[in-house]
Structures are given as C-alpha cells and as structure tokens.
Amino acid sequence: MSFSLEIKRELSRIEEQDNCCKKAELAGLIRAGIALRTYKGKPRLLFITENPSLSRHIYSRVKEFYKNSPDVFMLKSKRFRTHTVYHLEFTHLMNDTVHNILEDMGIKIQGEGEALIYNTYSIQNRCCKRAYLRGGFLATGSISDPDRSYHLEITFPDSLIAEEYIRFLNDFEVEPRQIMRKGHYLVYLKEGQEIVDFLNVIGAHIALMKLENIRIMKDMRNQVNRIVNCETANLEKTVNAALRQVDNIKLIAETKGLDSLPGSLRQIAELRLENPDVSLTELGQMLTPALTKSGVNHRLRKIDNIAEKLRATHK
Ligand SMILES: [Zn+2]
C-alpha cells in the first residue's frame, strides 16, 4: 500500500466529535475534489476517487448533514491493471433548495452548469481549520514514499481555494509553496519537517510517527556514510603521500645517493624506506630526539623538492 493511501485510510477513520469540524472537513473535501463534467451536453457534478474508504466516508457525511446522498458508481478500469474507480454523483443534489449542499460549501454553479464558482469559506475555530485542511488532503492530496523522497501536494481547481488552503495552513505555521500545472493549482511541501508539521495539523499521527522513524534512520545512515567517506578520504591521502615519499627517496638513492642529503634528511629518508606504512607522527617518534608530526612533514617536503628538481633535470 502506498504511503498516500495509508494516510488516507488513517484520516478517514478519524471520528470527529463536533459537528462544526465534521462540516468543515466535508467542505474541504468537496471544495477541493468536486468537479463539473459534461456528458452528452448535460452537466454532471462528480467526486471521483479510487479510495473505497474515502468514498464511503463522503457518502455517510453527506447523508448525515443533508438527509440526501450522492449516488455511488463503481467503475472497473482495465487500462493498466484492473482497478476500481468510485464516482460519487451529486448532480441530483444541484438544485435541491432545501438542503443546498453546494451553497453550504461556498460553491455556486454558473449559468446552466458551465462552471463552478468558489466563494471564500470562512472558518473561525482552529479545530475546524484542521478538519478543513484534512478534507482537502483526503480529496486530492498525495505524498511520495518517504523512503525515497519528501514531497506532499494537494491540487485545487481554482486559485481562490488554493490560496485559502494556504492561509489556513499559515495559521499553523506551515508555509507551503504554490505552482500552477495543467490548469490546476498545486500546493506543495518539500521538506521533511514541513511534512511532519502538516501531518500533525491534519491529525495523521500514526503516519507522522512512521515518517519520523524513517527520517531518523535516514539521518543516521547519512551521518555514518559521511564519517566513513571522510575517513576513507583521509586514509587515501595518507597512503598516497607515503607512496610518493617512498618513490622520491628511491629516486634520490638511485641518482645522487642518500649520502648526498644533509644528516637530518637522510635519517628521515632511511626511516621512511624501512617503514613505508606508518604515520608521520609515528615516524617522528622513531627519531631521537623525537620530532613532531609537522617537523617530520617539513623534512619530507624538502626531500620531495629535491626529488622534483632531479626529475626536472633528468628529463
Ligand atoms: Zn470544529
């Protein structure tokens, strides 16, 4: 099961105690998810989802508040592999003046069903804002598998409801970004922490813990990798330097002879030849009197220079 579906299952199981919140959640769902489609010249009002628990959830909420309910159609699609799409049809509720669900949700139908017009939907209580935000995510939200990347988005058919959604989120210090894609308004989050905050706001606590665990594991793995990489790099540098020193010393020995070096350099050159794989610090400790790491380094650099000059003149 995808992480999106897991969260949506969790969310559609939340039982709100207060009617105010239930209604706000339904508004979030309907405003983000309902669409006007024209079939054979007639407008139809549909909420389409592949999620059976969401379909049941909307059905029972609408029935609870409006005594009327959408018609539900199950459509099997075989385009990729067989999967079921649920069509919740609200068309017959469009002109219900007694229980006008659309008006309640701040939506108007233009003309004979040419377009949906969204009015602002005002919410006072924080509890209801959370519920509204949850509804929006349930309707059109999706989240990537956190093992791979952090991305959460919710799409809206209209800029007004996209901006409204952002404003409600801002009230909880979550600041999403917005772009337009294929005529839809996309509100999205890309940071792990922001997504955790969002899940907290909409009450997806089980998903939140799962995401946190993955984040901790990822962090630890990255840290270990960083340390290992760093140690490997250092070790490589040390080994390369030692190989270069041995090469240089051999070159001097074969051309001018090590006797040509001043006493302090000859001493360290001989030691390095005998101990090609010890560190500079260890080399220093082999001398009497002992020499510091930087002292050893200084002498080896001089040897490197002499060898470089030899190489240049022998070419
Ligand atoms: Zn409420």
Side-chain angles (χ1 to χ4, degrees):
M1 198 192 331
S2 72
F3 196 45
S4 279
L5 197 58
E6 227 175 282
I7 295 181
K8 289 186 181 188
R9 277 210 183 160
E10 184 190 345
L11 291 178
S12 41
R13 283 197 192 117
I14 295 179
E15 271 307 319
E16 295 290 352
Q17 296 101 348
D18 297 328
N19 272 347
C20 63
C21 296
K22 281 188 182 175
K23 205 156 207 181
E25 193 200 84
L26 187 60
L29 272 160
I30 299 286
R31 281 164 77 80
I34 211 159
L36 203 56
R37 304 275 177 98
T38 308
Y39 285 96
K40 296 178 181 167
K42 286 191 176 164
R44 289 174 70 184
L45 203 54
L46 296 170
F47 188 106
I48 299 168
T49 176
E50 291 179 25
N51 183 347
S53 57
L54 181 60
S55 149
R56 278 194 301 273
H57 186 67
I58 296 173
Y59 178 88
S60 50
R61 281 287 156 83
V62 173
K63 191 158 187 180
E64 187 180 338
F65 282 109
Y66 299 97
K67 314 296 173 218
N68 222 327
S69 53
D71 294 330
V72 184
F73 301 100
M74 258 173 67
L75 296 163
K76 296 239 183 246
S77 154
K78 272 192 181 161
R79 248 206 304 188
F80 300 105
R81 60 205 135 96
T82 312
H83 71 288
T84 312
V85 179
Y86 299 85
H87 281 203
L88 285 102
E89 171 133 27
F90 288 80
T91 315
H92 61 289
L93 303 181
M94 264 170 25
N95 302 313
D96 186 340
T97 44
V98 185
H99 308 291
N100 199 328
I101 171 165
L102 284 191
E103 204 176 285
D104 246 12
M105 307 283 124
I107 304 171
K108 268 193 192 139
I109 295 185
Q110 190 177 43
E112 296 298 304
E114 285 111 51
L116 295 179
I117 299 170
Y118 299 88
N119 300 318
T120 45
Y121 191 84
S122 51
I123 299 176
Q124 301 310 321
N125 302 340
R126 272 173 87 80
C127 59
C128 300
K129 282 180 188 168
R130 285 178 193 273
Y132 183 92
L133 291 166
R134 176 164 62 243
F137 179 79
L138 270 170
T140 63
S142 67
I143 182 169
S144 63
D145 188 343
D147 278 324
R148 271 178 243 146
S149 62
Y150 299 127
H151 182 90
L152 182 146
E153 65 178 49
I154 305 121
T155 56
F156 297 92
D158 188 277
S159 67
L160 182 134
I161 41 177
E163 272 149 30
E164 180 182 80
Y165 195 88
I166 292 174
R167 269 201 309 281
F168 288 148
L169 265 181
N170 288 345
D171 289 344
F172 295 94
E173 274 84 50
V174 180
E175 284 165 8
R177 274 157 286 174
Q178 192 195 166
I179 47 160
M180 211 183 144
R181 191 198 290 155
K182 293 178 190 162
H184 282 268
Y185 298 84
L186 232 94
V187 173
Y188 67 96
L189 296 165
K190 281 211 100 38
E191 296 286 326
Q193 187 55 52
E194 290 175 332
I195 293 173
V196 165
D197 293 342
F198 177 84
L199 294 179
N200 186 33
V201 171
I202 64 171
H205 300 300
I206 298 169
L208 185 153
M209 293 224 272
K210 191 173 171 190
L211 181 60
E212 280 289 35
N213 281 339
I214 292 171
R215 285 180 75 211
I216 291 167
M217 290 302 288
K218 262 192 184 175
D219 265 11
M220 275 168 50
R221 217 178 299 142
N222 286 344
Q223 234 167 0
V224 169
N225 281 345
R226 222 174 294 134
I227 293 167
V228 170
N229 287 343
C230 185
E231 282 178 350
T232 313
N234 279 338
L235 189 65
E236 241 173 55
K237 247 198 262 172
T238 312
V239 170
N240 287 340
L243 286 176
R244 187 194 64 230
Q245 289 153 9
V246 169
D247 271 356
N248 286 342
I249 294 164
K250 279 184 181 161
L251 178 72
I252 297 169
E254 285 156 12
T255 51
K256 295 162 68 171
L258 290 186
D259 288 342
S260 68
L261 297 173
S264 61
L265 295 191
R266 196 186 63 236
Q267 202 183 8
I268 201 86
E270 282 165 353
L271 262 181
R272 181 42 113 192
L273 278 184
E274 288 158 22
N275 308 281
D277 49 10
V278 302
S279 70
L280 297 187
T281 313
E282 285 168 304
L283 270 183
Q285 281 159 358
M286 291 175 185
L287 292 168
T288 16
L291 198 61
T292 61
K293 181 183 170 182
S294 75
V296 173
N297 191 39
H298 184 69
R299 289 186 191 180
L300 285 169
R301 287 237 169 263
K302 280 189 178 167
I303 293 175
D304 284 343
N305 285 339
I306 294 168
E308 283 311 316
K309 271 179 202 152
L310 278 174
R311 246 183 224 111
T313 49
H314 280 77
K315 258 175 198 167

